[in-house]
Amino acid sequence: MPPPPKSRYSVPKLLILGLVFHFVYIGTVFDCYFTSPVVHGMKSHSVGHAVSKRLVLIVGDGLRADLLFNEDAFPTIPHAPKVVAPYLKSIAETRGAFGISHTRVPTESRPGHVAIIGGMYEDVSAVTKGWKTNPVDFDSVFNQSSHTFSFGSPDILPMFARGAIPGKVETWCYNEEDEDFTKDATFLDIWVFDRLKELFQNATNNITLNTQLRSHKVIFFLHLLGLDTTGHSYRPHSREYLKNIQVVDNIVRQTENLINEFYHDKETSFIFTADHGMSVIGNHGDGDLDNTRTPLIAWGRGIRGPLPDSVPSSHDSYSKPWGLGHLFRRDVEQADLAALMASLIGIDWPVNSVGVLPDIDPSRPGYLSPKLGDESLAQMAFVNAKVILEQYTTKHELKRAQAFFYKPFVTLEGLNTISDQSFRLANLTNIERLIQAKDWHASRLASAELIRISLNGLHYLQTYDRFLIRGMVTFAYIGWAAYTSLYIFRPLDFAKTPEASGTVFVHISAAVALIGFWTLFALQHAPFMFYVYVAFPCYFWHQFLQQEMAWLRVPPRVDYWKLLVGTSMTLIVIQAMVVGYTHRFIWSIGFIFTGIVWPVSWPSRILKQNLPLVAVWGLLCLSAGVFPVLPVEKKESLITILVGGCLILLCGGFSALWVLHEVERLKGKKSRQALTALFFIQATLVVTTMIITASSVKGLQAKQGLPLPNRVLGWTVLAVSPVLAFASGGPYHTAFSKFLAYFLGFGPCFVILSISVEGLFYVTYSFLLATWVVSESIVRNGRFPVPANESDHERTKVYSFQPDDLRIALFFLFFVQVGFFGTGNVASISSFYLEPVYRLIPIFNPFFMAALLVSLNLQLFTVLFLIHIILDFQNCRSIYHTGCGLCTIK
């Protein structure tokens, strides 16, 4: 047999280039959406006078507004009190103002506190830091205070001390080890109050401390993390969460009494709120309304008392169960709280604040006392406008100095023909004129309008480069799709000459485009990665156009009508998958289609000969189709977890009987013995994991903590089992024995990190993929039989695109999506359940916790990738391909 013709297309090169391209282009997400909004160099502004001498900020981390305010908020708990937090509720009813503080995504602790204390919405580049450290220092009300005393979590407090003037922000933090999800989290809140009490006790014999405490513009910050920890561990509708709310309510009462006893005056303002809420499954991070609606209660010096409800009512169906319908509810955005605090104690407003003082709007009450007078409110509104406009001006000057062909924000930078000034300066002049004329109402309206325009201008500048980045991303990914199509149609393998007459123009155009963009980036002082980003689309389109011109000289070998129909169907299927992200039943419909409709399309002869296989395929598809329509909200079920583990053992055991028989037939008795030992060890690890999981679940549910032996054994099994699968000897394996080794190797992960049906889904999904391989092999061999008298030249012909390749690609994409969405709605990392993670990591650690949860999906994808390799090998053999670079499992 003559040697096979050498293809000009190297699949390893395609894989390496694809990995590099996708890894590099992850950075475009950060450059487009995760750039810091913080700039420096702005002037500070303040009203110049204080309403109160000091301020107490209490944040109940993870507290939902409805569970604080609702009457009978916990109906499923026997003997639960009608009012969970009577002290806070009485404040809202008799001597304070209340409402909802609306947070923004991501609804995490760090972003929420940055909004409350800094008045800005999170520097989202902190996602790479686990929401803990500051990629860029920002200003806050703590930094502007005369002194801040803060108590709480080591995950929150240090970031505000880091950017502040040294010694101005003092922190008292418990140890990170104390944030144990398996213990009573109310201890954390009680610890905070005990440290506050010690502070005042120490002041009796410490003159310096006593002087600091009695100075003006002092802030006390109490960060109460217990509710967040309790909500994650037991979910917000649990008895534990109810008791934690009661503890917080008692701490608020004790704190106010402690402050009053120490100062013996009424010069303290109090603000109670939360950084984010909590979903019904005990998670947060996304835009679920239970996560974005947090309580807000303000009282004390400078704060108005309760007001009668307005007409139309300020309440809606959400606040109807509160029992406060007769009182006015005033909602705010979370960043508005920084402006409110700055106005109360008369400090400079944080220079990075984009919050809007609730009292600026003259059409409805805010939170400040009407005793302040209209003049004070007008001055505060003007300061608010200047703070936000100052940020816009700084960003505008920076962008104008850097951007080539800069287009300013016309609403502020356009020319006012009447005053011959920019609209920005003309608006400031107009507000000053109204204040001098003592037209307080009109000046507040003008300030509110300038704030609105300035915020739009900030958004314009923050997103100024997004069009360019999105353009590069669009052209790059379309170019990547075009480039990969070359490895399907392989035009150079059929072209008589690799160079066509028009390729010179392609070379010149690509070089001009690349050099042109690099020159533009140099003029704009663009980040270095921009130079890398633009190189990919230039290369992809250069290669595609160059090779397509060579292909144009080749007689057409493609049925363009079939290609058009196939492309149309592909677009329909992909769009259906997009809909499936929000309507999960689409995945079930997909399983019905693949399980029933696809076998009907088989040639009748193949269908009749393989009816048992068709029945198994259909049954597995229908079984897998059940999981996407199961409720997303699941409770921990040890029985279901253990059933999943038993099914892994049962299916693995029966499969091993057939696999070992094939191994002995193809590889010999020695291979069978080696794999028998491997499978036995892997099954033992699955059983061990089931025992560990059962013990850990019972201990955690009984609030006995996580024993050290369970943690050590759990990590050991979780690490050893996959390693055995990866490291098992290649010479002993067939394709399906390797698949079984991976299936059993990943089994422990789907036991110890399962909350309910994940193990059942894993078994169904894995054996569905294995059945897919067998079905594709039979269908391909039936459609492309190898003639007995085929010549050597025909046996070594280069691969040619087949219509089934498009369907297989769609199946593969479908299984990728199902692997991600099959066991629950995990479009957001916050939708994962945390209960399984506590069996391995009881202490808060966001990166390790996220890594464990994501590992479930990665292991499913590893199984899918292995199936793809087997499938590719079998399909290549069935159409006489002599080597594609992926066919490595034999």
Side-chain angles (χ1 to χ4, degrees), residues 392 407-415 423 460:
Y392 163 81
K407 295 181 179 179
F409 185 61
V410 179
T411 310
L412 284 175
E413 299 305 322
L415 183 64
F423 288 123
Y460 172 81

Side-chain angles (χ1 to χ4, degrees), residues 187-203:
F187 158 78
L188 304 176
D189 299 340
I190 296 172
W191 185 96
V192 167
F193 177 73
D194 288 343
R195 300 294 82 74
L196 177 67
K197 188 162 57 174
E198 285 179 5
L199 178 72
F200 286 112
Q201 290 172 351
N202 293 337

Side-chain angles (χ1 to χ4, degrees), residues 184 287 327 465 707:
D184 185 359
L327 300 176
D465 292 325

Side-chain angles (χ1 to χ4, degrees), residues 69-339:
F69 287 125
N70 277 10
E71 296 180 346
D72 296 319
F74 295 86
T76 61
I77 298 177
H79 311 296
K82 182 177 181 179
V83 178
V84 181
Y87 190 74
L88 284 167
K89 189 74 173 288
S90 68
I91 292 173
E93 288 182 307
T94 61
R95 55 192 177 100
F98 70 93
I100 292 176
S101 172
H102 295 276
T103 71
R104 291 188 184 180
V105 176
T107 48
E108 298 287 347
S109 291
R110 174 194 158 108
H113 283 90
V114 170
I116 294 168
I117 300 166
M120 54 168 280
Y121 291 105
E122 177 60 309
D123 173 3
V124 285
S125 59
V127 69
T128 62
K129 306 290 185 180
W131 302 122
K132 290 187 178 182
T133 58
N134 299 352
V136 180
D137 291 333
F138 56 89
D139 197 10
S140 70
V141 292
F142 292 176
N143 190 42
Q144 298 297 342
S145 67
S146 65
H147 214 89
T148 294
F149 302 91
S150 57
F151 311 84
S153 169
D155 301 322
I156 299 298
L157 304 189
M159 68 179 174
F160 294 104
R162 172 185 170 183
I165 298 171
K168 177 170 286 192
V169 180
E170 295 191 43
T171 62
W172 284 262
C173 303
Y174 37 74
N175 297 324
E176 290 187 356
E177 292 75 18
D178 292 330
E179 298 179 14
D180 192 331
F181 291 98
T182 66
K183 298 180 179 178
D184 185 359
T186 59
F187 158 78
L188 304 176
D189 299 340
I190 296 172
W191 185 96
V192 167
F193 177 73
D194 288 343
R195 300 294 82 74
L196 177 67
K197 188 162 57 174
E198 285 179 5
L199 178 72
F200 286 112
Q201 290 172 351
N202 293 337
T204 58
N205 52 23
N206 187 324
I207 298 176
T208 302
L209 176 59
N210 188 63
T211 302
Q212 290 175 343
L213 290 173
R214 295 188 183 279
S215 61
H216 293 193
K217 302 179 181 180
V218 172
I219 296 177
F220 298 94
F221 173 45
L222 278 64
H223 175 229
L224 307 180
L225 183 64
L227 283 164
D228 183 75
T229 305
T230 302
H232 285 313
S233 300
Y234 302 102
R235 306 191 182 184
H237 288 94
S238 63
R239 181 179 295 277
E240 290 77 8
Y241 194 84
L242 181 155
K243 290 182 178 179
N244 209 144
I245 294 177
Q246 293 175 325
V247 169
V248 169
D249 186 60
N250 189 48
I251 288 175
V252 173
R253 179 183 59 81
Q254 291 178 306
T255 299
E256 185 174 8
N257 291 338
L258 186 65
I259 294 288
N260 293 336
E261 290 173 2
F262 183 82
Y263 288 105
H264 297 289
D265 62 15
K266 296 182 179 180
E267 297 292 335
T268 307
S269 302
F270 295 87
I271 293 180
F272 177 86
T273 187
D275 53 348
H276 56 74
M278 184 79 65
S279 69
V280 292
I281 63 174
N283 292 336
H284 54 83
D286 57 15
D288 187 286
L289 290 177
D290 287 332
N291 294 333
T292 61
R293 292 185 291 207
T294 62
L296 172 60
I297 304 175
W299 72 100
R301 180 67 175 176
I303 304 295
R304 67 165 175 82
L307 297 175
D309 194 21
S310 60
V311 180
S313 176
S314 61
H315 291 270
D316 54 19
S317 59
Y318 180 73
S319 60
K320 186 177 180 181
W322 294 2
L324 299 174
H326 60 291
L327 300 176
F328 182 73
R329 163 187 153 186
R330 181 63 164 91
D331 291 2
V332 301
E333 296 297 320
Q334 195 170 49
D336 300 345
L337 296 180

